[in-house]
């Protein structure tokens, strides 16, 4: 007999849009929570339209960004600007254990969706709010996306660029998804607090805080008055043994030696230069740092003599730490992802199920809910309204008043 999902019976209202907030709600759904996504009529969450923007077409009929962050949810259409929608919203709040929002502070206030507005309706409510730039300060009101608040504002965009090169754009959503996990962690912490106190709580996360945390090792140096490293020049890096090298077949290998004094002689033996171990430039940490450019020149020439597959055999045989710079297509086929259930099938009833990414939180003693197709816009509007106690006449009145579409 299968175990009951850990969060079965937990009610979640997802009022958020795009990625960070909805993705946190999706993780709750992965563990069995009943998630109702509230969307504007006719258009829905703007994230639905992302797959129509080149070069991001639907793949095999699947709106893949929407599927990733909105699986296992029910969708209702509700015009929050309509006065008639208030009765629906209030019943949702009373029904909910968790409410997720990412409305800017001014919009929340205008819609009557601040924490104080809804906590009075449900003192046990966990109110989870994600913003671009936090709740306080001169920029709290600004819209924030992961590329602006997480990637650019945090210093990550500058730090990761090559010297004298333009800053690189991040992968879309790369700041949103870790922020979603932070919000999920906050929600679970607040639920634990509710178990101890009986009271709800407000949970917050922001893209700028997540970016600062990601840049934390170097940002901490700056906070203490230290001088953080500047953008790296690959040909003259701070450490030539924490650097990337091009192989004969135009691939890249990243070296990452944690114990250089032990690993460098092994490495030099493996690549066919054992004599370099006695060279003062390689002999100790100070020499390796002072002569990083010379070492890069030597290693560039050496790695260019053989293809990636051969270098992998050499480095693996020597037990050395390295990384292959994979393409996204290669990562999608990486056997480690399947072996560790990082990719899982969508239970859509097809003979050849599509795959999706699992959320990264796992408990060995708990089974997640298999991912099902993300909902169509408003697919569950009448179903949810009925569960909330609205009669057929009530639903018709909501249509007439413009709270829900016809």
């Amino acid at each position: 007999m299968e175990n009951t999902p850990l969060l079965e019976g937990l009610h979640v209202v997802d009022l958020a849009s795009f990625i960070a907030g909805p993705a946190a709600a999706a993780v709750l759904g992965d563990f069995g929570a009943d998630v109702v996504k509230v969307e504007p009529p006719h258009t829905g969450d703007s994230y639905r339209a992302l797959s129509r923007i080149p070069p991001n077409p639907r793949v095999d009929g699947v709106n893949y960004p929407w599927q990733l962050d909105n699986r296992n949810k029910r969708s209702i259409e509700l015009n929050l600007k309509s006065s008639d929608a208030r009765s629906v919203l209030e019943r949702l709040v009373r029904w909910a254990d968790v409410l997720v929002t990412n409305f800017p502070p001014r919009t929340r206030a205008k819609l009557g969706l601040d924490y104080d507005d809804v906590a009075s309706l449900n003192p046990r409510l966990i109110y989870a709010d994600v913003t671009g730039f936090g709740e306080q300060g001169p920029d709290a009101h600004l819209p924030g996306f992961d590329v602006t608040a997480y990637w650019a504002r945090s210093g990550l965009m500058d730090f990761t660029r090559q010297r004298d090169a333009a800053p690189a754009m991040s992968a879309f959503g790369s700041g949103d998804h870790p922020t979603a996990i932070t919000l999920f962690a906050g929600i679970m912490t607040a639920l634990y607090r509710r178990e101890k106190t009986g009271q709800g709580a407000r949970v917050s996360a922001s893209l700028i805080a997540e970016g600062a945390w990601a840049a934390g090792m170097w940002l901490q140096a700056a906070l203490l008055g230290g001088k953080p490293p500047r953008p790296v020049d690959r040909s003259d890096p701070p450490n030539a043994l924490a650097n990337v090298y091009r192989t004969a077949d135009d691939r890249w290998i990243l070296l990452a030696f944690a114990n250089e004094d032990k690993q460098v002689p092994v490495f030099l033996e493996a690549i066919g230069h054992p004599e370099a171990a006695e060279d003062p430039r390689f002999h100790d940490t100070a020499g390796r740092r002072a002569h990083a450019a010379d070492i890069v020149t030597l290693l560039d020439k050496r790695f260019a003599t053989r293809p990636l597959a051969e270098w992998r055999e050499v480095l693996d045989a020597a037990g050395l730490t390295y990384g292959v710079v994979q393409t996204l297509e290669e990562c999608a086929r990486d056997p480690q992802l399947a072996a560790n259930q990082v990719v899982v099938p969508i239970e859509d009833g097809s003979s050849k199920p599509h795959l999706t990414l699992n959320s990264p939180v796992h408990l060995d003693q708990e089974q997640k809910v298999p991912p099902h197709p993300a909902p169509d816009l408003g697919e569950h509007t009448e179903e949810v309204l009925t569960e909330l106690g609205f009669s057929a006449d009530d639903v018709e009145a909501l249509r007439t008043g413009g709270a829900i579409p016809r």
Side-chain angles (χ1 to χ4, degrees):
M1 187 178 198
E2 292 187 3
N3 292 330
T4 301
L6 180 65
L7 298 183
E8 185 172 292
L10 190 78
H11 297 160
V12 180
V13 175
D14 176 6
L15 288 171
S17 61
F18 273 90
I19 303 177
V27 182
L28 294 168
D30 286 345
F31 285 99
D34 182 0
V35 183
V36 172
K37 183 167 185 65
V38 180
E39 303 186 66
H42 309 301
T43 58
D45 182 343
S46 298
Y47 194 37
R48 286 182 178 272
L50 188 68
S51 71
R52 298 198 294 268
I53 302 173
N56 293 303
R58 290 172 180 257
V59 175
D60 198 18
V62 176
N63 184 341
Y64 57 88
W66 181 253
Q67 171 62 40
L68 177 61
D69 296 312
N70 291 282
R71 57 173 174 249
N72 297 341
K73 297 182 183 181
R74 297 190 287 170
S75 169
I76 69 169
E77 293 177 273
L78 185 64
N79 179 7
L80 293 174
K81 296 177 181 179
S82 167
S83 59
D84 288 344
R86 189 69 193 180
S87 63
V88 179
L89 182 62
E90 290 185 357
R91 291 198 198 186
L92 282 169
V93 168
R94 292 189 177 98
W95 172 84
D97 295 288
V98 179
L99 184 147
V100 180
T101 177
N102 67 344
F103 288 122
R106 292 175 183 173
T107 302
R108 287 201 315 261
K110 187 176 180 180
L111 293 173
L113 276 170
D114 277 328
Y115 175 64
D116 291 340
D117 296 325
V118 297
S120 60
L121 300 171
N122 181 357
R124 288 175 55 81
L125 181 71
I126 307 304
Y127 181 99
D129 177 38
V130 59
T131 62
F133 298 100
E135 294 289 336
Q136 306 297 325
D139 294 338
H141 67 286
L142 294 178
F145 292 95
D146 72 335
V147 290
T148 60
Y150 172 91
W151 184 241
R153 189 76 174 258
S154 68
L156 287 169
M157 191 174 194
D158 177 68
F159 176 72
T160 55
R161 69 185 174 93
Q162 292 287 301
R163 187 177 297 168
D164 298 325
M169 292 295 290
S170 64
F172 194 86
S174 59
D176 285 306
H177 283 119
T179 304
I181 296 301
T182 294
L183 191 65
F184 168 75
I187 291 168
M188 297 305 294
T189 303
L191 287 169
Y192 179 71
R193 177 183 181 274
R194 191 176 76 173
E195 286 296 305
K196 297 180 72 174
T197 68
Q199 295 298 309
R202 180 175 185 174
V203 176
S204 62
S206 71
L207 292 165
I208 193 170
E210 196 73 26
W213 186 248
M217 188 166 68
W218 299 124
L219 192 56
Q220 182 67 43
L223 288 171
L224 296 176
K227 188 176 181 181
R230 300 309 305 152
V232 173
D233 180 352
R234 195 201 72 81
S235 64
D236 187 13
N239 181 0
L241 298 174
N243 200 26
V244 289
Y245 294 94
R246 193 195 303 262
T247 63
D249 53 348
D250 203 29
R251 299 300 305 274
W252 291 89
I253 283 180
L254 169 67
L255 301 181
F257 299 161
N259 186 346
E260 288 184 22
D261 289 339
K262 178 180 178 181
Q263 291 176 296
V264 166
V266 177
F267 170 64
L268 294 173
E269 176 78 30
I271 67 172
H273 283 287
E275 75 289 347
E278 303 305 319
D279 188 320
R281 296 175 298 178
F282 287 88
H283 189 65
D284 57 24
T285 299
R288 290 189 291 268
R289 299 299 182 269
H291 299 282
D294 293 340
I295 296 173
V296 169
T297 299
L298 183 151
L299 295 182
D300 273 344
K301 292 178 181 177
R302 188 65 185 134
F303 276 105
T305 63
R306 303 173 77 169
L308 174 63
E310 292 185 18
W311 282 122
R312 293 188 69 173
E313 291 180 3
V314 168
L315 297 174
D316 285 341
L320 293 162
T321 310
Y322 69 95
V324 175
V325 181
Q326 291 199 130
T327 65
L328 288 171
E329 291 84 358
E330 287 172 325
C331 184
R333 298 189 298 269
D334 193 319
Q336 283 300 113
L337 271 62
N340 291 281
Q341 294 186 311
V342 178
V343 293
V344 290
I346 301 171
E347 295 205 350
D348 56 5
S350 61
S351 56
K352 184 181 179 183
H354 296 95
L355 297 175
T356 191
L357 287 171
N358 204 348
S359 51
V361 180
H362 296 271
L363 281 74
D364 285 353
Q365 290 74 26
E366 299 292 337
Q367 292 295 316
K368 288 184 177 178
V369 175
H372 290 82
D376 291 333
L377 176 60
E379 180 180 345
H380 307 94
T381 300
E382 290 194 30
E383 173 184 294
V384 171
L385 291 175
T386 300
E387 290 178 15
L388 292 173
F390 289 92
S391 67
D393 289 342
D394 294 333
V395 172
E396 183 58 32
L398 289 170
R399 288 196 179 98
T400 301
I404 62 174
R406 289 195 172 276

